[in-house]
Amino acid sequence: MSTLTFHDPRGEAKTSPEPYGLSTRLDQPITIGLVANGFPDSVRFLDHVEKALAERLPSASFNRYDKGDASSVVGEGMLDDIRSECGAVIAAYGH
């Protein structure tokens, strides 16, 4: 009879975890940026995200951004727009 051994591929962390310190208030009007990264269906996925958030956050408005190309980074112009227009941002990709 053979024994089955499982290997856990997770390594040990070299640094201690730190809590995520950024936050935004969602109990007041806010503009949320939705950034599609250019993968197929990323825009369509964010359509569903926007719909779900709008139901839960009726005072929120949404600005849409699309990199257009999954292999490129968000340009400085788009980053400036996001910074000046949004109080929060969600970046997403499709499959």
Side-chain angles (χ1 to χ4, degrees):
M1 179 177 247
S2 62
T3 302
L4 206 57
T5 303
F6 292 94
H7 172 71
D8 184 351
R10 295 175 292 185
E12 290 185 32
K14 298 234 184 238
T15 58
S16 299
E18 295 180 23
Y20 188 70
L22 297 177
S23 66
T24 190
R25 297 199 48 162
L26 299 175
D27 60 345
Q28 57 193 23
I30 186 170
T31 300
I32 299 172
L34 301 173
V35 181
N37 77 347
F39 275 110
D41 292 330
S42 58
V43 172
R44 186 169 168 233
F45 175 73
L46 285 173
D47 291 342
H48 295 283
V49 170
E50 181 176 343
K51 182 179 177 187
L53 287 173
E55 290 174 3
R56 289 162 181 80
L57 303 169
S59 65
S61 60
F62 300 89
N63 287 359
R64 302 295 290 265
Y65 307 91
D66 188 349
K67 287 185 357 173
D69 177 4
S71 64
S72 66
V73 298
V74 173
E76 280 300 317
M78 187 182 293
L79 282 176
D80 290 342
D81 291 345
I82 293 169
R83 284 185 197 114
S84 68
E85 299 169 0
C86 303
V89 66
I90 297 170
Y93 59 90
H95 298 298

Coordinates of all heavy atoms in Angstrom, one line a residue:
M1 N 0.8 -1.2 0.0 CA 0.0 0.0 0.0 C 0.9 1.2 0.0 O 1.8 1.4 0.8 CB -0.9 0.0 1.2 CG -1.8 1.1 1.4 SD -2.9 1.0 2.8 CE -4.4 0.8 2.0
S2 N 0.6 2.2 -0.9 CA 1.4 3.4 -1.0 C 0.8 4.5 -0.2 O -0.4 4.6 -0.1 CB 1.7 3.8 -2.4 OG 0.4 4.1 -3.1
T3 N 1.6 5.5 0.2 CA 1.1 6.6 1.0 C 1.2 7.8 0.0 O 2.1 8.1 -0.7 CB 2.0 6.9 2.2 OG1 2.0 5.7 3.0 CG2 1.5 8.1 3.0
L4 N 0.1 8.6 0.1 CA 0.0 9.8 -0.7 C 0.5 11.0 0.1 O 0.0 11.2 1.2 CB -1.4 10.0 -1.2 CG -1.7 10.8 -2.4 CD1 -1.0 10.2 -3.6 CD2 -3.2 10.8 -2.7
T5 N 1.4 11.8 -0.4 CA 1.9 12.9 0.3 C 1.6 14.2 -0.5 O 1.9 14.3 -1.7 CB 3.5 12.8 0.5 OG1 3.8 11.6 1.2 CG2 4.0 14.0 1.3
F6 N 1.0 15.2 0.2 CA 0.7 16.4 -0.4 C 1.7 17.5 -0.1 O 2.2 17.6 1.1 CB -0.7 16.9 0.0 CG -1.8 16.1 -0.5 CD1 -2.3 15.0 0.3 CD2 -2.3 16.3 -1.8 CE1 -3.3 14.2 -0.2 CE2 -3.3 15.5 -2.3 CZ -3.8 14.4 -1.5
H7 N 2.1 18.3 -1.0 CA 3.1 19.3 -0.8 C 2.3 20.7 -0.9 O 1.6 20.9 -1.8 CB 4.2 19.3 -1.9 CG 5.1 20.5 -1.9 ND1 6.0 20.7 -0.8 CD2 5.2 21.5 -2.7 CE1 6.6 21.8 -1.1 NE2 6.2 22.3 -2.2
D8 N 2.5 21.5 0.1 CA 1.9 22.8 0.2 C 2.8 23.8 -0.6 O 4.0 24.0 -0.1 CB 1.6 23.3 1.6 CG 0.9 24.6 1.7 OD1 0.8 25.3 0.6 OD2 0.5 25.0 2.8
P9 N 2.5 24.3 -1.7 CA 3.4 25.1 -2.5 C 3.6 26.6 -1.9 O 4.4 27.3 -2.4 CB 2.7 25.2 -3.9 CG 1.3 25.1 -3.6 CD 1.2 24.1 -2.4
R10 N 2.8 26.9 -0.9 CA 3.0 28.3 -0.4 C 4.3 28.4 0.4 O 4.6 27.6 1.2 CB 1.8 28.6 0.5 CG 0.5 28.7 -0.2 CD -0.6 29.0 0.7 NE -0.8 27.8 1.5 CZ -1.7 27.6 2.4 NH1 -2.6 28.5 2.6 NH2 -1.8 26.5 3.1
G11 N 5.0 29.5 0.1 CA 6.2 29.7 0.9 C 6.0 30.5 2.1 O 4.9 31.0 2.4
E12 N 7.0 30.6 2.9 CA 6.8 31.4 4.2 C 7.1 32.9 3.8 O 8.0 33.2 3.0 CB 7.9 31.0 5.2 CG 7.6 29.6 5.8 CD 8.5 29.2 6.9 OE1 9.0 30.2 7.6 OE2 8.8 28.1 7.0
A13 N 6.3 33.7 4.4 CA 6.4 35.2 4.2 C 7.7 35.7 4.8 O 8.0 35.3 5.9 CB 5.2 35.9 4.7
K14 N 8.4 36.5 4.1 CA 9.6 37.1 4.6 C 9.4 38.4 5.4 O 10.2 38.9 6.1 CB 10.6 37.3 3.5 CG 11.0 36.1 2.8 CD 12.5 35.9 2.8 CE 12.8 34.7 1.9 NZ 13.6 33.8 2.7
T15 N 8.2 39.0 5.2 CA 7.8 40.2 5.9 C 6.5 40.0 6.5 O 5.7 39.2 6.1 CB 7.7 41.4 4.9 OG1 6.8 41.1 3.9 CG2 9.0 41.7 4.2
S16 N 6.2 40.7 7.6 CA 5.0 40.7 8.3 C 3.9 41.4 7.4 O 4.1 42.4 6.8 CB 5.0 41.3 9.6 OG 6.0 40.7 10.4
P17 N 2.7 40.8 7.4 CA 1.6 41.5 6.7 C 1.3 42.9 7.3 O 1.4 43.0 8.6 CB 0.4 40.5 6.8 CG 0.8 39.5 7.8 CD 2.2 39.6 8.1
E18 N 1.0 43.8 6.5 CA 0.6 45.1 7.0 C -0.9 45.4 6.6 O -1.2 45.1 5.4 CB 1.5 46.2 6.4 CG 2.9 46.1 6.8 CD 3.8 47.2 6.2 OE1 3.3 48.2 5.8 OE2 5.0 46.9 6.1
P19 N -1.6 46.0 7.4 CA -3.0 46.3 7.1 C -3.1 47.4 5.9 O -2.2 48.2 5.9 CB -3.7 46.8 8.3 CG -2.6 47.1 9.3 CD -1.3 46.4 8.8
Y20 N -4.1 47.2 5.1 CA -4.3 48.2 4.0 C -4.9 49.4 4.6 O -5.9 49.4 5.2 CB -5.2 47.5 3.0 CG -5.4 48.3 1.7 CD1 -4.3 48.4 0.8 CD2 -6.6 48.9 1.4 CE1 -4.5 49.1 -0.4 CE2 -6.7 49.6 0.2 CZ -5.7 49.7 -0.7 OH -5.8 50.4 -1.8
G21 N -4.2 50.5 4.5 CA -4.6 51.8 5.1 C -5.4 52.7 4.4 O -5.9 53.7 4.9
L22 N -5.6 52.5 3.1 CA -6.4 53.5 2.3 C -7.9 53.1 2.4 O -8.3 52.0 2.5 CB -6.0 53.4 0.8 CG -4.6 53.8 0.5 CD1 -4.3 53.6 -1.0 CD2 -4.3 55.2 0.8
S23 N -8.7 54.2 2.4 CA -10.1 54.0 2.5 C -10.8 55.2 1.9 O -10.2 56.2 1.7 CB -10.6 53.7 3.9 OG -10.4 54.9 4.7
T24 N -12.1 55.0 1.7 CA -12.9 56.2 1.3 C -14.3 56.0 1.9 O -14.8 54.9 2.1 CB -13.0 56.3 -0.3 OG1 -13.6 57.5 -0.7 CG2 -13.7 55.1 -0.9
R25 N -15.0 57.1 2.1 CA -16.3 57.1 2.6 C -17.3 56.7 1.5 O -17.3 57.4 0.5 CB -16.6 58.4 3.2 CG -15.7 58.7 4.4 CD -16.2 59.7 5.3 NE -17.6 59.4 5.6 CZ -18.2 60.0 6.7 NH1 -17.5 60.8 7.5 NH2 -19.5 59.7 6.9
L26 N -18.2 55.8 1.8 CA -19.2 55.4 0.8 C -20.6 55.8 1.3 O -21.5 55.4 0.6 CB -19.1 53.9 0.6 CG -17.8 53.4 0.0 CD1 -17.8 51.8 0.0 CD2 -17.5 54.0 -1.3
D27 N -20.7 56.5 2.4 CA -22.0 56.9 2.9 C -22.3 58.4 2.4 O -23.2 59.0 2.9 CB -22.0 56.8 4.4 CG -21.0 57.7 5.1 OD1 -20.1 58.1 4.4 OD2 -21.1 57.9 6.3
Q28 N -21.6 58.9 1.4 CA -21.8 60.2 0.9 C -21.6 60.1 -0.6 O -21.0 59.1 -1.1 CB -20.9 61.2 1.5 CG -19.4 60.9 1.4 CD -18.6 61.7 2.3 OE1 -19.1 62.3 3.3 NE2 -17.3 61.9 2.0
P29 N -22.0 61.1 -1.4 CA -21.8 61.0 -2.8 C -20.3 60.9 -3.2 O -19.4 61.5 -2.6 CB -22.3 62.4 -3.3 CG -23.3 62.8 -2.3 CD -22.8 62.3 -1.0
I30 N -20.0 60.0 -4.1 CA -18.7 59.7 -4.6 C -18.7 59.3 -6.0 O -19.7 58.7 -6.5 CB -18.1 58.6 -3.7 CG1 -16.6 58.4 -4.1 CG2 -18.8 57.3 -3.9 CD1 -15.8 57.4 -3.1
T31 N -17.6 59.6 -6.7 CA -17.4 59.2 -8.1 C -16.4 58.1 -8.1 O -15.3 58.2 -7.5 CB -16.9 60.3 -9.0 OG1 -17.9 61.4 -9.0 CG2 -16.7 59.8 -10.4
I32 N -16.8 56.9 -8.6 CA -16.0 55.7 -8.6 C -15.5 55.5 -10.1 O -16.3 55.4 -11.0 CB -16.8 54.5 -8.1 CG1 -17.2 54.7 -6.7 CG2 -15.9 53.2 -8.2 CD1 -18.1 53.7 -6.1
G33 N -14.2 55.4 -10.3 CA -13.7 55.1 -11.6 C -13.6 53.6 -11.8 O -13.2 52.9 -10.9
L34 N -14.0 53.2 -13.0 CA -13.9 51.8 -13.4 C -13.0 51.7 -14.6 O -13.3 52.2 -15.6 CB -15.3 51.3 -13.7 CG -16.4 51.4 -12.6 CD1 -17.8 51.0 -13.2 CD2 -16.0 50.6 -11.4
V35 N -11.9 51.0 -14.4 CA -10.8 50.9 -15.4 C -10.8 49.5 -16.0 O -10.4 48.6 -15.3 CB -9.4 51.3 -14.8 CG1 -8.4 51.2 -15.9 CG2 -9.5 52.7 -14.1
A36 N -11.1 49.4 -17.2 CA -10.9 48.2 -18.0 C -9.5 48.1 -18.5 O -9.0 49.1 -19.0 CB -12.0 48.1 -19.1
N37 N -8.9 46.9 -18.5 CA -7.5 46.8 -18.9 C -7.3 46.4 -20.3 O -6.1 46.2 -20.7 CB -6.7 46.0 -17.9 CG -7.0 44.5 -18.1 OD1 -7.9 44.1 -18.8 ND2 -6.1 43.7 -17.5
G38 N -8.3 46.1 -21.0 CA -8.1 45.8 -22.4 C -8.3 44.3 -22.7 O -8.2 43.9 -23.9
F39 N -8.4 43.5 -21.7 CA -8.6 42.0 -22.0 C -10.0 41.9 -22.5 O -10.9 42.7 -22.2 CB -8.4 41.2 -20.7 CG -7.0 40.8 -20.4 CD1 -6.4 41.3 -19.4 CD2 -6.4 39.9 -21.2 CE1 -5.0 40.9 -19.1 CE2 -5.1 39.5 -21.0 CZ -4.4 40.0 -19.9
P40 N -10.3 40.9 -23.3 CA -11.6 40.6 -23.8 C -12.6 40.6 -22.6 O -12.3 40.0 -21.6 CB -11.6 39.3 -24.5 CG -10.1 39.2 -24.9 CD -9.3 39.9 -23.8
D41 N -13.7 41.2 -22.8 CA -14.8 41.2 -21.8 C -14.6 42.1 -20.6 O -15.4 42.1 -19.6 CB -15.3 39.8 -21.4 CG -15.9 39.1 -22.5 OD1 -16.6 39.7 -23.4 OD2 -15.8 37.8 -22.5
S42 N -13.5 42.8 -20.5 CA -13.2 43.6 -19.3 C -14.2 44.7 -19.2 O -14.7 45.0 -18.1 CB -11.8 44.1 -19.3 OG -11.5 44.9 -20.4
V43 N -14.6 45.3 -20.3 CA -15.6 46.4 -20.3 C -17.0 45.8 -19.9 O -17.7 46.3 -19.0 CB -15.7 47.1 -21.6 CG1 -16.9 48.0 -21.7 CG2 -14.5 47.8 -21.9
R44 N -17.3 44.6 -20.4 CA -18.6 44.0 -20.1 C -18.6 43.6 -18.6 O -19.7 43.7 -18.0 CB -18.7 42.7 -21.0 CG -20.1 42.1 -20.8 CD -20.3 41.0 -21.9 NE -21.4 40.2 -21.6 CZ -21.4 38.9 -21.5 NH1 -20.3 38.2 -21.8 NH2 -22.5 38.3 -21.2
F45 N -17.5 43.1 -18.1 CA -17.5 42.7 -16.7 C -17.7 44.0 -15.8 O -18.5 43.9 -14.8 CB -16.1 42.1 -16.3 CG -15.9 41.8 -14.9 CD1 -16.6 40.8 -14.3 CD2 -15.1 42.6 -14.1 CE1 -16.4 40.6 -12.9 CE2 -14.9 42.4 -12.8 CZ -15.6 41.4 -12.1
L46 N -17.1 45.1 -16.2 CA -17.3 46.3 -15.4 C -18.7 46.8 -15.5 O -19.2 47.5 -14.6 CB -16.3 47.4 -15.8 CG -14.9 47.1 -15.2 CD1 -13.9 48.1 -15.8 CD2 -14.8 47.1 -13.7
D47 N -19.4 46.5 -16.6 CA -20.9 46.9 -16.7 C -21.6 46.2 -15.5 O -22.5 46.9 -14.9 CB -21.5 46.4 -18.0 CG -21.0 47.1 -19.2 OD1 -20.4 48.2 -19.1 OD2 -21.1 46.6 -20.3
H48 N -21.3 45.0 -15.2 CA -22.0 44.2 -14.1 C -21.5 44.8 -12.8 O -22.3 44.9 -11.9 CB -21.7 42.8 -14.2 CG -22.2 42.1 -15.5 ND1 -23.6 41.8 -15.6 CD2 -21.7 41.8 -16.6 CE1 -23.8 41.3 -16.8 NE2 -22.7 41.2 -17.4
V49 N -20.2 45.1 -12.7 CA -19.7 45.7 -11.4 C -20.5 47.0 -11.1 O -20.9 47.3 -10.0 CB -18.2 45.9 -11.5 CG1 -17.7 46.7 -10.3 CG2 -17.5 44.6 -11.5
E50 N -20.6 47.9 -12.2 CA -21.2 49.2 -12.0 C -22.7 49.0 -11.6 O -23.2 49.6 -10.7 CB -21.2 50.0 -13.3 CG -21.8 51.3 -13.1 CD -21.7 52.2 -14.4 OE1 -20.8 51.9 -15.2 OE2 -22.5 53.2 -14.5
K51 N -23.4 48.1 -12.2 CA -24.8 47.8 -11.9 C -24.9 47.4 -10.4 O -25.8 47.9 -9.7 CB -25.4 46.8 -12.8 CG -26.8 46.5 -12.6 CD -27.4 45.4 -13.5 CE -28.8 45.1 -13.2 NZ -29.3 44.0 -14.0
A52 N -24.1 46.4 -10.0 CA -24.2 45.9 -8.6 C -23.8 47.0 -7.6 O -24.5 47.2 -6.6 CB -23.2 44.8 -8.4
L53 N -22.8 47.8 -7.9 CA -22.5 48.9 -7.0 C -23.5 50.0 -6.9 O -23.8 50.6 -5.9 CB -21.1 49.5 -7.4 CG -19.9 48.7 -7.1 CD1 -18.6 49.4 -7.7 CD2 -19.7 48.5 -5.6
A54 N -24.1 50.3 -8.1 CA -25.1 51.4 -8.2 C -26.4 51.0 -7.3 O -27.0 51.8 -6.7 CB -25.6 51.6 -9.6
E55 N -26.7 49.7 -7.3 CA -27.8 49.2 -6.4 C -27.5 49.4 -4.9 O -28.4 49.7 -4.1 CB -28.1 47.8 -6.7 CG -28.7 47.5 -8.1 CD -28.8 46.0 -8.4 OE1 -28.5 45.2 -7.5 OE2 -29.3 45.7 -9.5
R56 N -26.2 49.2 -4.6 CA -25.8 49.3 -3.1 C -25.4 50.7 -2.7 O -25.4 51.1 -1.5 CB -24.7 48.3 -2.9 CG -25.2 46.9 -2.9 CD -24.1 45.9 -3.0 NE -24.5 44.5 -3.1 CZ -25.0 43.9 -4.2 NH1 -25.1 44.6 -5.3 NH2 -25.4 42.7 -4.1
L57 N -25.0 51.5 -3.7 CA -24.5 52.9 -3.4 C -25.3 53.9 -4.3 O -24.7 54.4 -5.3 CB -23.0 53.0 -3.7 CG -22.1 52.0 -2.9 CD1 -20.7 52.0 -3.5 CD2 -22.1 52.3 -1.5
P58 N -26.5 54.2 -4.0 CA -27.3 55.0 -4.9 C -26.8 56.4 -5.1 O -27.1 57.1 -6.1 CB -28.7 55.0 -4.2 CG -28.5 54.5 -2.8 CD -27.2 53.7 -2.8
S59 N -26.0 56.9 -4.2 CA -25.4 58.3 -4.3 C -24.1 58.3 -5.1 O -23.5 59.3 -5.4 CB -25.2 58.9 -3.0 OG -24.2 58.2 -2.2
A60 N -23.6 57.1 -5.6 CA -22.4 57.1 -6.3 C -22.6 57.3 -7.8 O -23.7 57.0 -8.4 CB -21.7 55.7 -6.2
S61 N -21.6 57.9 -8.4 CA -21.6 58.1 -9.9 C -20.4 57.3 -10.4 O -19.5 57.0 -9.6 CB -21.6 59.5 -10.3 OG -20.5 60.2 -9.8
F62 N -20.3 57.1 -11.7 CA -19.2 56.2 -12.2 C -18.6 56.9 -13.4 O -19.3 57.4 -14.3 CB -19.8 54.8 -12.6 CG -20.3 54.1 -11.4 CD1 -21.7 54.3 -11.0 CD2 -19.5 53.3 -10.6 CE1 -22.2 53.6 -9.9 CE2 -20.0 52.7 -9.5 CZ -21.4 52.9 -9.1
N63 N -17.3 56.9 -13.5 CA -16.6 57.3 -14.7 C -15.9 56.0 -15.2 O -15.3 55.3 -14.5 CB -15.5 58.3 -14.4 CG -16.1 59.7 -14.1 OD1 -17.4 59.9 -14.2 ND2 -15.3 60.6 -13.8
R64 N -16.0 55.9 -16.5 CA -15.4 54.7 -17.2 C -14.1 55.1 -17.9 O -14.0 56.1 -18.6 CB -16.4 54.1 -18.2 CG -17.7 53.7 -17.6 CD -17.6 52.6 -16.6 NE -17.3 51.3 -17.1 CZ -18.2 50.4 -17.5 NH1 -19.5 50.6 -17.3 NH2 -17.8 49.2 -18.0
Y65 N -13.1 54.2 -17.8 CA -11.8 54.3 -18.4 C -11.4 53.0 -19.1 O -11.8 51.9 -18.5 CB -10.7 54.8 -17.5 CG -11.1 56.0 -16.7 CD1 -11.7 55.9 -15.4 CD2 -10.8 57.3 -17.1 CE1 -12.1 57.0 -14.7 CE2 -11.1 58.4 -16.4 CZ -11.8 58.2 -15.2 OH -12.1 59.3 -14.5
D66 N -10.7 53.0 -20.2 CA -10.4 51.8 -20.8 C -9.0 51.9 -21.4 O -8.7 52.8 -22.2 CB -11.3 51.5 -22.0 CG -11.1 50.1 -22.6 OD1 -10.1 49.4 -22.3 OD2 -12.0 49.7 -23.4
K67 N -8.0 51.1 -20.9 CA -6.7 51.2 -21.4 C -6.6 50.8 -22.9 O -5.8 51.2 -23.6 CB -5.8 50.2 -20.7 CG -5.4 50.6 -19.3 CD -4.4 49.7 -18.6 CE -4.0 48.5 -19.4 NZ -3.0 47.7 -18.8
G68 N -7.5 49.9 -23.3 CA -7.6 49.5 -24.7 C -6.6 48.4 -25.1 O -6.8 47.7 -26.0
D69 N -5.6 48.2 -24.3 CA -4.5 47.3 -24.7 C -4.0 46.7 -23.4 O -3.4 47.4 -22.5 CB -3.4 47.9 -25.4 CG -2.3 47.0 -25.8 OD1 -2.3 45.8 -25.5 OD2 -1.3 47.5 -26.3
A70 N -4.2 45.4 -23.2 CA -3.9 44.7 -21.9 C -2.4 44.8 -21.6 O -1.9 44.6 -20.5 CB -4.4 43.3 -21.9
S71 N -1.6 44.9 -22.7 CA -0.1 44.9 -22.5 C 0.5 46.3 -22.1 O 1.7 46.4 -21.9 CB 0.6 44.3 -23.7 OG 0.4 45.2 -24.8
S72 N -0.3 47.3 -22.1 CA 0.2 48.6 -21.8 C -0.2 49.1 -20.4 O -1.1 48.5 -19.8 CB -0.3 49.6 -22.9 OG -1.7 49.8 -22.7
V73 N 0.5 50.0 -19.9 CA 0.2 50.6 -18.6 C -0.8 51.8 -18.8 O -0.9 52.3 -19.9 CB 1.5 51.0 -17.9 CG1 2.4 49.9 -17.6 CG2 2.2 52.1 -18.6
V74 N -1.4 52.2 -17.7 CA -2.3 53.4 -17.8 C -1.4 54.6 -18.0 O -0.4 54.8 -17.2 CB -3.1 53.5 -16.5 CG1 -3.9 54.8 -16.5 CG2 -4.1 52.3 -16.4
G75 N -1.6 55.4 -18.9 CA -0.8 56.6 -19.2 C -1.0 57.7 -18.2 O -2.0 57.7 -17.5
E76 N -0.1 58.6 -18.2 CA -0.1 59.7 -17.2 C -1.4 60.5 -17.4 O -2.0 61.0 -16.4 CB 1.1 60.6 -17.3 CG 2.3 60.0 -16.6 CD 2.1 59.8 -15.1 OE1 1.5 60.7 -14.4 OE2 2.5 58.8 -14.6
G77 N -1.8 60.7 -18.6 CA -3.0 61.5 -18.8 C -4.2 60.9 -18.2 O -5.0 61.6 -17.6
M78 N -4.4 59.6 -18.4 CA -5.5 58.9 -17.8 C -5.4 58.9 -16.3 O -6.4 59.0 -15.6 CB -5.6 57.4 -18.4 CG -6.9 56.7 -17.9 SD -7.0 55.0 -18.5 CE -7.2 55.3 -20.3
L79 N -4.2 58.7 -15.8 CA -4.0 58.7 -14.3 C -4.4 60.1 -13.8 O -5.0 60.1 -12.7 CB -2.6 58.4 -14.0 CG -2.2 56.9 -14.0 CD1 -0.7 56.8 -13.7 CD2 -3.0 56.1 -13.0
D80 N -4.0 61.1 -14.4 CA -4.4 62.5 -14.0 C -5.9 62.6 -14.0 O -6.4 63.2 -13.0 CB -3.7 63.5 -14.9 CG -2.2 63.6 -14.7 OD1 -1.7 63.1 -13.7 OD2 -1.6 64.2 -15.6
D81 N -6.6 62.1 -15.0 CA -8.0 62.2 -15.1 C -8.6 61.4 -13.9 O -9.5 61.9 -13.2 CB -8.6 61.7 -16.4 CG -8.2 62.5 -17.6 OD1 -7.8 63.7 -17.4 OD2 -8.4 62.0 -18.7
I82 N -8.2 60.2 -13.7 CA -8.7 59.4 -12.6 C -8.5 60.1 -11.2 O -9.4 60.2 -10.4 CB -8.1 58.0 -12.6 CG1 -8.5 57.2 -13.8 CG2 -8.4 57.2 -11.3 CD1 -7.7 56.0 -14.1
R83 N -7.3 60.6 -11.0 CA -7.0 61.3 -9.8 C -7.9 62.5 -9.5 O -8.4 62.8 -8.4 CB -5.6 61.8 -9.7 CG -4.6 60.7 -9.5 CD -3.2 61.3 -9.3 NE -2.2 60.3 -9.5 CZ -1.3 60.2 -10.5 NH1 -1.3 61.1 -11.4 NH2 -0.4 59.2 -10.5
S84 N -8.2 63.3 -10.6 CA -8.9 64.5 -10.4 C -10.4 64.3 -10.4 O -11.2 65.1 -9.9 CB -8.6 65.5 -11.5 OG -9.0 65.1 -12.8
E85 N -10.9 63.2 -11.0 CA -12.3 63.0 -11.2 C -12.9 62.0 -10.2 O -14.2 61.9 -10.1 CB -12.6 62.5 -12.6 CG -12.2 63.5 -13.7 CD -12.2 62.9 -15.1 OE1 -12.5 61.7 -15.3 OE2 -11.9 63.6 -16.0
C86 N -12.1 61.1 -9.6 CA -12.6 60.0 -8.8 C -12.2 60.0 -7.4 O -11.0 60.3 -7.1 CB -12.2 58.7 -9.5 SG -12.7 58.6 -11.2
G87 N -13.1 59.5 -6.5 CA -12.7 59.4 -5.1 C -12.3 57.9 -4.8 O -11.7 57.6 -3.7
A88 N -12.6 57.0 -5.7 CA -12.2 55.6 -5.6 C -12.1 55.0 -7.0 O -12.6 55.6 -7.9 CB -13.2 54.8 -4.8
V89 N -11.4 53.9 -7.1 CA -11.2 53.3 -8.5 C -11.1 51.8 -8.3 O -10.6 51.3 -7.4 CB -10.0 53.9 -9.2 CG1 -8.7 53.5 -8.5 CG2 -9.9 53.5 -10.6
I90 N -11.7 51.2 -9.3 CA -11.7 49.7 -9.4 C -11.1 49.4 -10.8 O -11.6 49.8 -11.8 CB -13.1 49.1 -9.3 CG1 -13.7 49.4 -7.9 CG2 -13.0 47.6 -9.5 CD1 -15.1 49.1 -7.8
A91 N -10.0 48.6 -10.8 CA -9.4 48.2 -12.0 C -9.7 46.7 -12.2 O -9.7 45.9 -11.2 CB -7.9 48.3 -11.9
A92 N -10.1 46.3 -13.4 CA -10.6 45.0 -13.6 C -10.1 44.5 -15.0 O -9.7 45.2 -15.8 CB -12.1 44.9 -13.5
Y93 N -10.1 43.2 -15.1 CA -9.8 42.5 -16.4 C -10.8 41.5 -16.7 O -11.6 41.0 -15.9 CB -8.4 41.9 -16.3 CG -8.2 40.9 -15.2 CD1 -8.5 39.5 -15.5 CD2 -7.8 41.2 -14.0 CE1 -8.4 38.6 -14.5 CE2 -7.6 40.2 -13.0 CZ -7.9 38.9 -13.3 OH -7.8 38.0 -12.3
G94 N -10.9 41.2 -18.0 CA -11.8 40.2 -18.5 C -11.1 38.9 -18.8 O -9.9 38.8 -18.6
H95 N -11.8 38.0 -19.3 CA -11.2 36.7 -19.7 C -11.6 36.3 -21.1 O -12.6 36.6 -21.6 CB -11.7 35.6 -18.7 CG -11.2 35.8 -17.3 ND1 -9.9 35.9 -16.9 CD2 -12.0 36.0 -16.2 CE1 -9.9 36.1 -15.6 NE2 -11.1 36.2 -15.2

